[in-house]
Amino acid sequence: RVSDVIEEHRLFLALASAEVFCLPDGYRVRDSSLDDIRHAFRPRLALERIRLLDSVARSRRLQNGAHHVQGIMRLDALANVPLALNAVVQGILAASKLRDAFLVLDVDPSHAPLASELALLAHKIWNERPLRTRVTPRAFSDSVRCALDHESAPASNPSTKAMTRHVQSPSHSSPPSLLLAKLFRALHKELTLCERKRKRESDHAAND
């Protein structure tokens, strides 16, 4: 709920689209005063702004008067999440080429949930108009756990069990290097499958 309008009416933010609706009437609310909330929830950097990230001043004042440097954002600690996740994410999104790759990434969340959530987290960390100086990466953390649990699942084929025995889901105190390697493997797998799917669809369209 964003706020009360009148008695028995509420404004709700649609999680998928960041659109605001008034319920129970069900109409979409178009009000520029809600832009900051929508932008903070699902920020997007334009391509021309992404190209300038390393060449313009990133220091600014937030609406609450706090000093903020774009790209430096604290990640809230979550239970059952490896402590190294913060360092890994900050490291990935501080590297210009990796950061830009995720800021321009456009994939179907249903086919690449981990890559999609990391792209959204990149936009939140590099948000030009954040409402606060920290981010709660719950959805991304859930995607990380799902991807790593899937990777460490025991193989059904006895001949491959020995090969996967060493692959374990990172513990709460796993070193960043281990988590980083597993995270990149999971991202590579997702994005490879997405690229293959796009190629099949393109070939199918060409044949038609």
Side-chain angles (χ1 to χ4, degrees), residues 172-190:
H172 191 64
S173 57
S174 295
S177 57
L178 174 62
L179 182 59
L180 181 63
K182 290 179 177 293
L183 184 59
F184 272 129
R185 276 201 299 270
L187 287 168
H188 180 267
K189 181 179 179 180
E190 279 191 356

Side-chain angles (χ1 to χ4, degrees), residues 7-20:
E7 188 176 359
E8 302 303 330
H9 285 73
R10 304 288 187 271
L11 293 185
F12 283 84
L13 186 71
L15 298 181
S17 63
E19 295 176 332
V20 178

Side-chain angles (χ1 to χ4, degrees), residues 74-128:
R74 193 186 88 189
L75 300 184
D76 289 340
L78 298 175
N80 302 318
V81 174
L83 295 174
L85 184 62
N86 192 328
V88 167
V89 170
Q90 299 285 5
I92 291 174
L93 299 183
S96 297
K97 291 185 177 180
L98 287 174
R99 174 202 67 204
D100 294 353
F102 283 104
L103 286 175
V104 301
L105 184 66
D106 182 19
V107 293
D108 186 340
S110 63
H111 295 127
L114 179 59
S116 179
E117 288 296 339
L118 182 54
L120 178 57
L121 188 58
H123 280 277
K124 289 183 176 181
I125 289 178
W126 285 89
N127 187 1
E128 292 181 301

Side-chain angles (χ1 to χ4, degrees), residues 37-189:
I37 296 175
R38 279 193 291 259
H39 187 78
F41 176 73
R42 193 168 288 276
R44 279 293 180 271
L45 271 175
L47 182 59
E48 58 269 19
R49 301 298 298 170
I50 294 174
R51 291 170 175 166
L52 295 174
L53 285 178
D54 294 324
S55 60
V56 298
R58 305 201 308 262
S59 179
R60 63 201 65 206
R61 290 280 180 182
L62 303 184
Q63 290 184 350
N64 61 5
H67 178 73
H68 174 64
V69 177
Q70 184 184 10
I72 299 179
M73 189 78 71
R74 193 186 88 189
L75 300 184
D76 289 340
L78 298 175
N80 302 318
V81 174
L83 295 174
L85 184 62
N86 192 328
V88 167
V89 170
Q90 299 285 5
I92 291 174
L93 299 183
S96 297
K97 291 185 177 180
L98 287 174
R99 174 202 67 204
D100 294 353
F102 283 104
L103 286 175
V104 301
L105 184 66
D106 182 19
V107 293
D108 186 340
S110 63
H111 295 127
L114 179 59
S116 179
E117 288 296 339
L118 182 54
L120 178 57
L121 188 58
H123 280 277
K124 289 183 176 181
I125 289 178
W126 285 89
N127 187 1
E128 292 181 301
R129 296 182 291 157
L131 296 180
R132 58 180 191 166
T133 57
R134 67 179 188 274
V135 173
T136 300
R138 184 172 304 279
F140 173 68
S141 300
D142 291 343
S143 296
V144 168
R145 282 198 297 271
C146 288
L148 298 186
D149 287 346
H150 178 73
E151 179 185 288
S152 61
S156 57
N157 187 341
S159 65
T160 60
K161 284 184 178 180
M163 297 174 60
T164 59
R165 189 175 301 152
H166 70 285
V167 180
Q168 301 294 332
S169 183
S171 67
H172 191 64
S173 57
S174 295
S177 57
L178 174 62
L179 182 59
L180 181 63
K182 290 179 177 293
L183 184 59
F184 272 129
R185 276 201 299 270
L187 287 168
H188 180 267
K189 181 179 179 180

